[in-house]
Amino acid sequence: MLGYFLFGMAVVAYTGQLGNIMFVWNVFLAYLPFLFVQLLYIYRQKNQPKKGVVILLSLLWLVFFPNAPYMVTDLMYFSGLGGTMYSIYFWVKLLYISSGMLVATFFGLNSLYGMHQLVLRRKGRVFGSFFLAAVSLLTGFGIYLGRMLRFNSWDVLRPFVLLSSIAEQLDRFAVLFSLIFAAYIAGTYIVYYLITQYGQSPREGLNSHPAN
């Protein structure tokens, strides 16, 4: 996270465009679900963890989780750089945005793995599959809300504004957009899960910490 912040400062200094700092902000938002899962694992190690705190951290994870795969959509900012392949700025920005996307993707997949492991322990594999499907669908729609309707995670505190905007603008494109990103999230997670589980016994996989 710190390394990407320094990278962002260097890009801003090189380009003179303060707007480039927004990618650092996006990576920070992608880091939050990772942080919430770490706190959840730490808190659950207490002798008598309060259920309310566990639920709160889980809800915070769910609300902020779409910020991680959302950074894939930042690749759209290359659309205005066509025909500039011999510009150093083009390649600096390519590395800057793509590395941010990779960092955000790691945070997101790692945090989803941590939550998935908790669900597997408590509810089993069938419920775990439903959990992944539900999270993927909700996150795909969350990315639509963020990219197309320009809502933020904290807009859940304005439910009436959020719901009215959804009711007004929900259409075929919104559904297809959400499904495409839901498939992307599920697909990338399955690959991450298989890689993480490779060489582990089922018991070792269920006992692994999300940061491992």
Side-chain angles (χ1 to χ4, degrees):
M1 182 66 209
L2 177 60
Y4 192 72
F5 172 77
L6 295 175
F7 190 6
M9 293 296 98
V11 171
V12 170
Y14 173 74
T15 63
Q17 298 179 5
L18 188 59
N20 282 319
I21 202 66
M22 73 174 183
F23 299 107
V24 175
W25 174 248
N26 287 349
V27 169
F28 171 74
L29 292 177
Y31 170 74
L32 291 180
F34 175 84
L35 175 63
F36 292 139
V37 169
Q38 302 303 310
L39 293 176
L40 182 58
Y41 267 73
I42 293 172
Y43 185 75
R44 290 183 76 255
Q45 292 176 358
K46 297 181 65 174
N47 292 331
Q48 294 181 328
K50 294 182 179 179
K51 188 175 181 180
V53 176
V54 172
I55 292 175
L56 176 61
L57 288 172
S58 300
L59 288 175
L60 285 172
W61 172 82
L62 181 62
V63 169
F64 281 91
F65 176 70
N67 291 294
Y70 173 88
M71 274 208 76
V72 174
T73 67
D74 283 337
L75 294 175
M76 64 179 285
Y77 290 106
F78 287 119
S79 61
L81 295 177
T84 59
M85 290 181 60
Y86 289 95
S87 167
I88 293 300
Y89 172 69
F90 174 88
W91 297 108
V92 168
K93 194 162 186 178
L94 172 65
L95 292 174
Y96 179 45
I97 297 178
S98 59
S99 60
M101 183 194 73
L102 290 175
V103 172
T105 298
F106 168 78
F107 284 144
L109 292 175
N110 190 279
S111 71
L112 179 54
Y113 180 80
M115 292 299 294
H116 187 210
Q117 294 303 300
L118 289 177
V119 173
L120 289 176
R121 293 181 199 177
R122 296 180 60 85
K123 301 294 184 179
R125 295 190 180 278
V126 174
F127 191 88
S129 297
F130 282 108
F131 167 79
L132 288 177
V135 168
S136 297
L137 290 170
L138 288 173
T139 302
F141 188 61
I143 295 173
Y144 169 78
L145 294 178
R147 175 51 69 192
M148 299 302 173
L149 303 190
R150 308 308 297 164
F151 282 105
N152 298 301
S153 295
W154 44 89
D155 283 316
V156 295
L157 299 177
R158 302 189 302 159
F160 295 110
V161 174
L162 184 62
L163 291 175
S164 63
S165 296
I166 292 173
E168 291 173 2
Q169 302 189 56
L170 187 64
D171 55 14
R172 182 173 178 271
F173 174 80
V175 173
L176 292 177
F177 183 100
S178 301
L179 289 176
I180 289 171
F181 274 91
Y184 166 77
I185 294 161
T188 53
Y189 177 73
I190 289 172
V191 173
Y192 180 88
Y193 179 84
L194 292 175
I195 292 174
T196 303
Q197 292 291 304
Y198 181 78
Q200 294 182 352
S201 69
R203 183 174 297 276
E204 287 172 337
L206 290 177
N207 289 333
S208 61
H209 190 276
N212 288 348

